Amino acid sequence: MTGGSVWLAAGAGEALRRVVRHAWDHSPAWRARLEAAGIRPEDVRGPEDLLPLPVLRKEALGRHQAASLPFGGLLGVPVSDLARIFVSPGPVYDPQGAREDFWRFSRALRAAGFAPGDVVLNCFSYHLSPAGFMLDTGLRAAGCVVIPGGVGQQDLQVRVLSDTGATGYVGLPSYLLSLLERAEALGLRTALRKAYVTAEPLPPSLRARLQGYGVEVFQGFGTADLGSVAYECEVREGQHLDPGVMVEVCDPEGRPVPAGEVGELVVTLLDETYPLLRFGTGDLTALVPEPCPCGRPEPRIRGWLGRAGEAVKVRGMFVYPDQIQEAVSRIPGAGRWHAVVDRDGGHRDRLTVRVEAAGVVDPAALSQAIKATTRVTAEVELVEPGTLPDKTPRIEDRRRWE
């Protein structure tokens, strides 16, 4: 642990130095960024020596990659050494290295009680997005049997839960509630007793409803770029940091804030395959200064406290204003727009896009265009030109997480 809101696992200094040296030697983009910041590998002894390096922000990653497809010169190994290539909204290309549990989720899953022999329904997507494989490889490393459920087909998934006696679930918390409610409506019993959820907030009210079905719920934090970053232990008061990353909590200028203060989560990935250095997630959090009663040496963060930039996470997917703008610009007659994210009366996110229409505009075609760029279904409302105020924020998040 270093001073302020900067953390590197004890004994991980050598891993940090090795990754910086590897990035310098094998990644032209990282070498150029390090040189521009006046940093040479031999200068890096600890986290503080990387602070002159500007934060590489998540929202800029797609543009950076586009300059030299597919990885923008950030990859630390030949593409032929990878196991898979995924694509996230942006588009952003995400590599999977060849080693077991590449994204390090097994630690988080074991902390949530997943053990050898557990049969687990994985309801993250296996299509293009890496989330399904992230949890799949972590579950397999933890000795679990995986049902690759993906998304959709709720009635079938509920039937599979009942028929297989699955004891575990990984996926969105809101989708878990939908499955449990559907099973109840169909008169089907499940053996679900544990769940690891991520990719959207878990307010106390939703956790309580899930536990009312007899499911112990544990939350974690990760991204498509970094893999697992933090996870809950049995105490479930904050999330322990994963030893495979170096973490800073920073102000908008990329400077670490005092311990306990809120700032942007900035992560250095201690991995030679994809050595992300000072990667700005855009997510707000704070380090918890006090040790955890569980006794784990890794400190905790308070979890997700909001977004630092314009992007908003909807149903587990980041939605960027530029994505909606691209979709709107494809539809003749569609003009200025304003998006609102709220809840549908329960715990399911709802994206509504109000669009000024000059002439005849097909709202269904506009909704399809938005889904094609964001992977999120949006409700489209057409309004008269001049209806939206000039200073309306492009995406307004009206959700409350209490």
Side-chain angles (χ1 to χ4, degrees), residues 21-259:
R21 166 57 70 183
H22 186 87
W24 177 278
D25 291 339
H26 298 279
S27 168
W30 284 119
R31 180 165 186 157
R33 290 179 70 85
L34 288 164
E35 285 183 326
I39 301 173
R40 296 185 63 83
E42 55 267 25
D43 300 331
V44 178
R45 297 173 298 278
E48 64 280 357
D49 298 313
L50 272 185
L51 292 181
L53 182 68
V55 173
L56 174 61
R57 309 228 170 251
K58 183 178 179 73
E59 57 266 29
L61 187 55
R63 295 192 297 273
H64 193 94
Q65 289 184 345
S68 179
L69 290 170
F71 296 108
L74 300 172
L75 198 65
V77 299
V79 171
S80 58
D81 285 359
L82 299 178
R84 295 180 179 89
I85 296 174
F86 298 94
V87 59
S88 297
V92 172
Y93 290 98
D94 304 304
Q96 179 189 351
R99 73 173 183 274
E100 181 185 55
D101 193 19
F102 175 72
W103 294 286
R104 312 172 315 283
F105 272 96
S106 59
R107 178 185 296 265
L109 292 163
R110 290 188 180 104
F114 289 81
D118 276 328
V119 177
V120 183
L121 178 66
N122 182 0
C123 286
F124 281 116
S125 173
Y126 283 74
H127 176 66
L128 290 181
S129 169
F133 280 94
M134 283 182 162
L135 273 299
D136 191 299
T137 56
L139 288 165
R140 292 296 302 130
C144 300
V145 178
V146 183
I147 303 170
V151 295
Q153 295 184 293
Q154 283 191 16
D155 284 6
L156 177 58
Q157 290 190 345
V158 167
R159 174 64 65 183
V160 170
L161 279 175
S162 179
D163 291 348
T164 62
T167 53
Y169 165 93
V170 296
L172 300 176
S174 59
Y175 192 69
L176 174 57
L177 180 62
S178 297
L179 290 179
L180 292 169
E181 291 177 337
R182 188 59 183 159
E184 188 174 51
L186 295 174
L188 296 174
R189 299 177 64 86
T190 80
L192 283 181
R193 293 295 177 266
K194 65 194 76 172
Y196 174 87
V197 300
T198 187
E200 70 179 10
L202 176 65
S205 58
L206 178 53
R207 191 195 292 264
R209 290 186 66 181
L210 294 171
Q211 291 179 335
Y213 282 95
V215 181
E216 290 295 320
V217 182
F218 293 79
Q219 187 179 31
F221 177 85
T223 76
D225 322 277
L226 300 165
S228 178
V229 174
Y231 61 92
E232 285 185 327
C233 65
E234 61 272 19
V235 177
R236 282 176 279 194
E237 294 179 1
Q239 299 177 18
H240 289 276
L241 294 172
D242 184 274
V245 296
M246 184 184 88
V247 164
E248 307 167 51
V249 180
C250 296
D251 64 19
E253 284 72 46
R255 298 171 300 200
V257 302

Side-chain angles (χ1 to χ4, degrees), residues 332-353:
R336 294 193 308 150
W337 58 271
H338 172 227
V340 172
V341 183
D342 58 9
R343 297 294 223 178
D344 62 2
H347 289 282
R348 182 171 174 79
D349 293 339
R350 175 174 55 195
L351 174 65
T352 304
V353 182

